[in-house]
Amino acid sequence: MMNSSGVAVLGRGLTVERGGRAVLRGLDFTVHSGRITGLLGPSGCGKSTLMRSVVGTQAGATGTLEVLGRPAGHPALRPRIGYVTQAPSVYDDLTVRQNLDYFAAVLLPGRAARDTRHAAVARAVADVGLTAHADALAGRLSGGQRSRVSLAVALLGTPELLVLDEPTVGLDPVLRRDLWDLFHRLAADRGTTILVSSHVMDEAERCHRLILLREGRILAEDTPDDLRVRTRSKTVEEAFLRLVDAADAAATAGTCRPGTGASRDPEHDDTARENAR
């Protein structure tokens, strides 16, 4: 599944305006193939808008955005991307299995694909840990279980790119841990590229790489370890706050150019951090 270039998503100058307001401001970023990239930042910073842009459902996006070697939204990408929104997309009056059977029939139509559909449904149910609830009505499941049904739907076609918009919101710690274990298995065993958003900073430690967003701008793009080292922080949350302070200090000093993210120049970063203190 891995893209030969090693890059699953490439954004250059990605901008989205809505209602006369810039939601994303000239973003440059890379999502590497077969890795888990965390998109982190506070609510309202543009995470969902960026994810909709990647899957090709966001209107008004400008700049360059290539996904799996094609322009975002290209029809050929539809079977190659799994997308899970914050709101579970399931039919309450169908069982878990019936929901998956329905979506599998859309994805893999025809009598000849019947055995393939059945195998895909069984695999997806097992992947999300709902085998024991496969014949339960979706409307009677807990919120966390319904979210896992949506994830199972996204996994039906063994997507190359899995885009997950805050999939662990409202889940208890055990379910969150189990889902993150699943994400790592998908990346390691199947080569799935995962772009996952969250506003919970401790989830950042579970990602291979991070994109930190604030007010539609990228503050940093790096590994968790390198972020901590670069900002002399003990946690990613502390690193994020230091970057916020540095960006605010730079803006106050008039040295922050509109539409850019955090400087990648270590000397500039060190100076900005010292000014923020």
Side-chain angles (χ1 to χ4, degrees):
M1 289 186 188
M2 188 171 293
N3 190 303
S4 59
S5 69
V7 174
V9 182
L10 181 66
R12 293 292 179 264
L14 178 64
T15 299
V16 174
E17 293 189 0
R18 190 163 54 234
R21 182 178 68 90
V23 181
L24 299 180
R25 305 165 184 263
L27 305 189
D28 295 341
F29 65 95
T30 302
V31 175
H32 295 277
S33 300
R35 311 293 282 173
I36 301 173
T37 297
L39 184 59
L40 286 98
S43 297
C45 70
K47 298 189 300 295
S48 295
T49 300
L50 176 52
M51 293 190 139
R52 288 194 297 268
S53 300
V54 169
V55 299
T57 61
Q58 178 61 54
T62 59
T64 300
L65 185 57
E66 293 186 359
V67 180
L68 302 176
R70 293 182 179 273
H74 193 283
L77 293 173
R78 291 171 188 165
R80 303 173 65 190
I81 300 175
Y83 179 37
V84 180
T85 62
Q86 293 183 29
S89 303
V90 296
Y91 294 101
D92 288 346
D93 56 345
L94 298 180
T95 68
V96 172
R97 194 187 313 276
Q98 287 169 339
N99 266 284
L100 293 177
D101 283 340
Y102 170 76
F103 287 107
V106 173
L107 186 66
L108 301 165
R111 186 173 300 176
R114 182 179 58 183
D115 290 345
T116 302
R117 288 196 300 269
H118 288 172
V121 168
R123 183 192 66 247
V125 170
D127 280 342
V128 300
L130 286 178
T131 301
H133 301 279
D135 296 314
L137 287 174
R140 295 181 180 176
L141 299 175
S142 68
Q145 290 170 330
R146 283 164 54 83
S147 295
R148 283 190 282 163
V149 178
S150 291
L151 177 57
V153 171
L155 293 174
L156 280 172
T158 58
E160 297 172 55
L161 172 63
L162 192 58
V163 179
L164 309 173
D165 196 351
E166 300 198 352
T168 62
V169 169
L171 301 188
D172 63 60
V174 174
L175 286 178
R176 285 176 59 200
R177 179 202 63 192
D178 291 347
L179 274 187
W180 277 98
D181 287 346
L182 170 61
F183 300 158
H184 278 274
R185 289 199 305 273
L186 291 172
D189 299 342
R190 300 180 191 173
T192 307
T193 302
I194 298 176
L195 178 62
V196 54
S197 71
S198 178
H199 62 269
V200 181
M201 287 294 167
D202 66 352
E203 294 192 338
E205 310 289 346
R206 302 173 184 263
C207 300
H208 297 123
R209 291 187 63 84
L210 298 171
I211 298 172
L212 302 185
L213 272 180
R214 181 179 184 243
E215 297 179 353
R217 292 186 173 94
I218 292 179
L219 284 180
E221 180 182 350
D222 217 331
T223 66
D225 286 343
D226 286 346
L227 272 175
R228 287 191 295 267
V229 170
R230 180 155 68 90
T231 59
R232 303 169 189 168
S233 304
K234 293 181 180 179
T235 66
V236 170
E237 181 173 6
E238 183 182 350
F240 180 81
L241 293 174
R242 289 195 175 197
L243 289 166
V244 167
D245 291 344
D248 288 347
T252 300
T255 59
C256 184
R257 293 170 297 170
T260 62
S263 169
R264 307 303 170 86
D265 182 345
E267 292 184 3
H268 181 89
D269 287 341
D270 288 341
T271 301
R273 282 194 295 274
E274 292 300 325
N275 289 339
R277 296 167 187 164

